[in-house]
């Protein structure tokens, strides 16, 4: 293996990850979606008032997702940009885990192909939505499951079980 192809295995995925980060945060500055962002803010306001999901109001996207959004919004003074920032990190971490899993199971060339395809199909975060959390949980589950260790089996099952609480 030449030095160029060794570097290609690491440089191209890092560049793609940085591009996803940049494009997602750049898009978040100019994106306006009053309905979906308003839904997130409305649920956060209802939870902060002490209302209970499914008793006082209906929330479509998972029990813990509303609480996570409220937590992020409270930490960052209800700035919606930080929802995009945090969910972008979830998305990138999921891609990195999938890259490592693909590299472990199929080799570096297929892992490189995988990350290029992910970038072509979904180059940036569209909304701070529960799908990115679900992608992270499923990626974590598959990555831990690949170790065939009892300790990781328990952790992966716990992660998969909690995924259903964030995305219904």
């Amino acid at each position: 293996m030449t030095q160029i192809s060794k570097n290609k295995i690491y440089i191209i995925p890092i560049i793609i990850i940085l591009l996803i980060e940049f494009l997602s945060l750049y898009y978040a500055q100019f994106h306006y979606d009053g309905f979906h962002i308003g839904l997130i803010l409305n649920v956060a306001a209802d939870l902060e008032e002490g209302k209970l999901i499914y008793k006082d109001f209906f929330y479509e996207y998972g029990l813990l997702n509303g609480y996570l959004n409220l937590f992020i919004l409270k930490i960052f003074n209800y700035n919606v940009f930080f929802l995009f920032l945090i969910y972008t990190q979830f998305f990138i971490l999921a891609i990195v885990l999938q890259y490592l899993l693909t590299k472990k199971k199929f080799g570096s060339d297929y892992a490189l192909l995988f990350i290029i395809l992910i970038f072509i199909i979904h180059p940036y975060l569209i909304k701070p939505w529960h799908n990115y959390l679900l992608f992270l949980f499923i990626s974590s589950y598959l990555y831990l499951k690949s170790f065939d260790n009892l300790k990781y089996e328990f952790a992966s099952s716990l992660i998969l079980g909690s995924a259903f609480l964030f995305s219904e």
Side-chain angles (χ1 to χ4, degrees), residues 1-13 99 103 107-112:
M1 184 181 274
T2 65
Q3 186 65 28
I4 293 173
S5 63
K6 281 183 182 179
N7 290 338
K8 174 185 74 168
I9 293 170
Y10 300 109
I11 291 174
I12 293 175
Y99 173 79
K103 186 176 174 186
S108 298
D109 292 335
Y110 285 110
L112 184 61

Side-chain angles (χ1 to χ4, degrees), residues 8-163:
K8 174 185 74 168
I9 293 170
Y10 300 109
I11 291 174
I12 293 175
I14 290 171
I15 289 171
I16 290 175
I17 294 287
L18 291 174
L19 267 173
I20 291 172
E21 177 92 22
F22 173 76
L23 290 174
S24 296
L25 297 179
Y26 182 78
Y27 177 76
Q29 293 177 13
F30 306 108
H31 176 70
Y32 175 74
D33 181 2
F35 176 74
H36 291 103
I37 301 300
L39 180 65
I40 290 172
L41 292 172
N42 188 33
V43 169
D46 286 344
L47 289 173
E48 191 170 33
E49 290 174 4
K51 294 182 181 177
L52 298 174
I53 296 176
Y54 305 128
K55 181 181 179 196
D56 299 323
F57 67 97
F58 181 71
Y59 185 54
E60 303 88 358
Y61 301 112
L63 190 64
L64 293 181
N65 190 17
Y67 288 104
L68 176 66
N69 291 335
L70 173 64
F71 180 71
I72 293 169
L73 287 169
K74 280 180 111 171
I75 287 175
F76 296 108
N77 201 21
Y78 291 90
N79 189 341
V80 175
F81 178 77
F82 288 100
L83 278 174
F84 279 94
L85 179 71
I86 300 295
Y87 277 76
T88 298
Q89 304 315 309
F90 293 155
F91 183 50
I92 287 172
L93 183 58
I95 291 172
V96 168
L97 288 173
Q98 287 290 330
Y99 173 79
L100 292 173
L101 178 65
T102 307
K103 186 176 174 186
K104 179 179 178 181
K105 293 292 183 182
F106 301 110
S108 298
D109 292 335
Y110 285 110
L112 184 61
L113 177 65
F114 168 78
I115 201 163
I116 290 170
L117 286 175
I118 286 290
F119 181 71
I120 290 170
I121 293 169
H122 197 72
Y124 58 89
L125 185 94
I126 297 171
K127 295 179 182 84
W129 220 231
H130 64 98
N131 300 5
Y132 300 105
L133 273 173
L134 186 62
F135 182 47
L136 173 63
F137 282 125
I138 290 173
S139 299
S140 302
Y141 168 76
L142 292 173
Y143 183 70
L144 289 176
K145 195 79 168 156
S146 72
F147 286 106
D148 292 329
N149 184 335
L150 187 60
K151 179 174 49 174
Y152 293 127
E153 291 274 336
F154 178 73
S156 65
S157 299
L158 187 65
I159 288 171
L160 186 63
S162 62

